[in-house]
Amino acid sequence: MMRLSKRFRGLYWRQMVVNVGMVLLTLTLLGAAFFSLSYNYARGQKTDELESRARIMSQLSVSYLEGGRYLSIEELRNDPDFQQLASFAATVSDVQFMICDTEGHVLLSTDVSLSGKVVTIPEEMTRKIMEEGSASDRDDLGGLYQQKQFIVGVAAVNPVSQETVGEVFAVATTSSLDTMWKGFVGLFFMTAFVVLMISFMASSVTTMRQVQPIRDMVKATRQYAEGNFDIRMNDSGRDDEIGELAASFNNMAESLQQTERQRREFIANISHELKTPMTTIAGYTDGILDGTIPPESERQYLQIISDESRRLSRMVRRMLDVSQLQAIDPLRGGNHFDICESMRRVLISMEKKITDRHLDVDADIPEEPILVLGDNDMITQVLYNLLENATKFAREGSTLYLGVAMIDGKARVTVRNVGDTIPAEELPLLFERFHKSDKSRSEDKDGVGLGLYIVKTILEQHREKINVTSEDGVTTFTFSLATE
């Protein structure tokens, strides 16, 4: 029961109830307005028709008086010609007539069902006729009729003396109006049922089309919570908000999957990288403690233990630096700095290392400042890492190149060295965490494999990319920085 109740509280049924409720409310309001207008129009038409015929009969009655044949309208009861004429008029028009005196007493009626009965029109209606000249109502005349009749009365006025000599009433049944009314009601409910079914089916299809992707997303999030990031949403080519949500959901899943992959790779890489120095430290320490290593060699191995400890410390510090860099948005403040000045400072700080390797430097740095958008310290770190990497792997006695130029509205920075050619398949791996080629492992024993990864991370934070090429022993790193 609770599951059923929970299901009917879902978005599908809420949307369905709202849509069907709006259709029902609209049909109800339209039906009420239509019924009211149609009934009032039909009743008005019927009233006008009866009033017109009642006036004809009143003129006929007055004409008899004008001819001088009778002293009063009461004498018309005893005139067979007039009675025959009134009956004929009632038969032709399907309307019953009642001729009354000024007090509402019926003197003559064409309705045979009232023969021999004393009939008096309600006082309120006769008073209204005497005051306004006409009146209409639905009444059963005190129970004389089984159903209420349309009754329209007009005053019989002598055109010469302008004296009201009596009243004439036209009476008609409501059966034709009731029949029309029932036909309207039946047609309305049939139409309303068809419209309601169509709206129900259309709402069901459209609501399900909207709700189904959300249900799929709920299932997918449960899978993501369990660590399965392979689930993707099918947007079915939709270009509406649901399609955008599905595309964003897939992008999020892709990012989560990539983050999870990087996390696992990071754990695997750091486990491998930390294992080597820790194994070395533990092995040499145990060797000193248990006497395996002779006393005269202890200083040498203690130096190895010290070097490995420092390398381990640098590795941890670099990993912390990477984590901090990934949490910074260097473009948020809109800061500008002179990239040329930063390059000069990096060259000065690298002077000793460059001199030790007997390298020449070809610096193509303009004297005029080039203002770029970003964080000065972070870009300085990029320049230092790239120049340090180029210095380590440059052929001794060769030339380093460091330059900057404006290309397509951006500052293009280039770092180039001459050394061994990097294989093409290894170029995409240079910026991965802890990546080291066999060459770098032999020549850079103190490195931790995070320098170029930090370069890529910083440039990604600046919404830029770094490119690398290596041909005929010339390796070139290039990246751009926005000036606006």
Side-chain angles (χ1 to χ4, degrees), residues 327-372:
I328 297 175
D329 185 2
L331 302 181
R332 179 178 299 175
N335 298 321
H336 290 77
F337 67 95
D338 184 7
I339 185 67
C340 298
E341 181 64 24
S342 299
M343 295 171 71
R344 295 188 189 99
R345 288 202 307 267
V346 170
L347 271 178
I348 293 173
S349 65
M350 290 290 299
E351 181 180 2
K352 185 176 185 306
K353 293 184 178 181
I354 294 173
T355 302
D356 292 344
R357 296 278 297 172
H358 306 290
L359 301 175
D360 293 329
V361 177
D362 180 10
D364 186 10
I365 304 175
E367 294 183 1
E368 297 78 9
I370 298 178
L371 298 180
V372 296

Side-chain angles (χ1 to χ4, degrees), residues 298-315:
E298 286 182 359
R299 182 177 180 81
Q300 175 186 354
Y301 287 100
L302 286 174
Q303 184 63 48
I304 295 175
I305 292 175
S306 177
D307 294 340
E308 291 296 310
S309 299
R310 290 191 179 90
R311 190 165 75 91
L312 189 61
S313 177
R314 288 196 302 272
M315 186 183 301

Side-chain angles (χ1 to χ4, degrees), residues 213-230:
I214 298 177
R215 291 179 177 175
D216 294 340
M217 291 178 191
V218 172
K219 295 179 181 178
T221 53
R222 295 195 183 105
Q223 294 292 324
Y224 296 158
E226 296 175 0
N228 181 14
F229 299 101
D230 296 329

Side-chain angles (χ1 to χ4, degrees), residues 48 99 127 134-135 181 216 228 241 245 249 268 301 321 352 403:
D48 293 342
I99 302 175
R127 184 174 65 252
S134 64
W181 179 259
D216 294 340
N228 181 14
E241 290 80 358
L245 180 60
F249 202 85
Y301 287 100
D321 291 341
K352 185 176 185 306

Side-chain angles (χ1 to χ4, degrees), residues 253-458:
E254 190 70 29
S255 298
L256 289 175
Q257 188 177 42
Q258 184 177 1
T259 301
E260 178 64 15
R261 186 186 308 114
Q262 291 176 350
R263 185 186 68 85
R264 293 178 179 178
E265 292 177 356
F266 179 76
I267 293 175
N269 290 335
I270 195 173
S271 298
H272 179 269
E273 292 296 325
L274 292 178
K275 180 180 179 181
T276 301
M278 293 179 67
T279 301
T280 303
I281 293 172
Y284 289 157
T285 302
D286 292 340
I288 293 174
L289 292 176
D290 60 17
T292 304
I293 298 177
E296 61 274 11
S297 302
E298 286 182 359
R299 182 177 180 81
Q300 175 186 354
Y301 287 100
L302 286 174
Q303 184 63 48
I304 295 175
I305 292 175
S306 177
D307 294 340
E308 291 296 310
S309 299
R310 290 191 179 90
R311 190 165 75 91
L312 189 61
S313 177
R314 288 196 302 272
M315 186 183 301
V316 174
R317 188 168 58 253
R318 286 291 185 90
M319 287 188 294
L320 293 175
D321 291 341
V322 170
S323 299
Q324 292 175 355
L325 289 174
Q326 291 174 338
I328 297 175
D329 185 2
L331 302 181
R332 179 178 299 175
N335 298 321
H336 290 77
F337 67 95
D338 184 7
I339 185 67
C340 298
E341 181 64 24
S342 299
M343 295 171 71
R344 295 188 189 99
R345 288 202 307 267
V346 170
L347 271 178
I348 293 173
S349 65
M350 290 290 299
E351 181 180 2
K352 185 176 185 306
K353 293 184 178 181
I354 294 173
T355 302
D356 292 344
R357 296 278 297 172
H358 306 290
L359 301 175
D360 293 329
V361 177
D362 180 10
D364 186 10
I365 304 175
E367 294 183 1
E368 297 78 9
I370 298 178
L371 298 180
V372 296
L373 181 64
D375 185 272
N376 189 9
D377 293 337
M378 296 174 71
I379 297 302
T380 299
Q381 181 69 36
V382 169
L383 295 171
Y384 186 89
N385 287 3
L386 289 177
L387 199 58
E388 182 183 38
N389 183 79
T391 302
K392 286 180 181 179
F393 300 106
R395 185 179 300 119
E396 191 169 348
S398 61
T399 301
L400 289 178
Y401 174 83
L402 177 64
V404 60
M406 291 297 299
I407 299 177
D408 297 332
K410 288 188 174 184
R412 178 74 61 83
V413 178
T414 303
V415 179
R416 183 186 305 122
N417 73 333
V418 178
D420 294 335
T421 302
I422 302 175
E425 64 274 8
E426 193 174 329
L427 289 177
L429 305 178
L430 293 178
F431 303 97
E432 297 295 327
R433 290 187 181 99
F434 306 113
H435 172 74
K436 288 185 181 181
S437 63
D438 294 337
K439 180 72 174 176
S440 64
R441 290 182 187 276
S442 61
E443 296 187 7
D444 185 26
K445 297 179 180 180
D446 295 333
V448 296
L450 283 172
L452 293 181
Y453 176 76
I454 292 176
V455 168
K456 183 187 74 168
T457 302
I458 292 176

Side-chain angles (χ1 to χ4, degrees), residues 111-178:
D111 191 349
V112 295
S113 64
L114 301 180
S115 300
K117 297 181 180 179
V118 178
V119 181
T120 302
I121 301 300
E123 181 181 356
E124 182 180 354
M125 195 170 186
T126 58
R127 184 174 65 252
K128 187 175 181 181
I129 293 175
M130 296 300 292
E131 293 175 355
E132 301 178 6
S134 64
S136 62
D137 198 3
R138 290 186 64 188
D139 202 296
D140 60 359
L141 296 180
L144 291 177
Y145 294 104
Q146 294 181 354
Q147 297 179 349
K148 290 185 177 182
Q149 308 288 315
F150 272 121
I151 303 175
V152 178
V154 296
V157 182
N158 190 321
V160 177
S161 62
Q162 295 298 317
E163 180 185 359
T164 301
V165 296
E167 298 173 350
V168 177
F169 290 88
V171 182
T173 62
T174 61
S175 58
S176 59
L177 187 60
D178 293 339

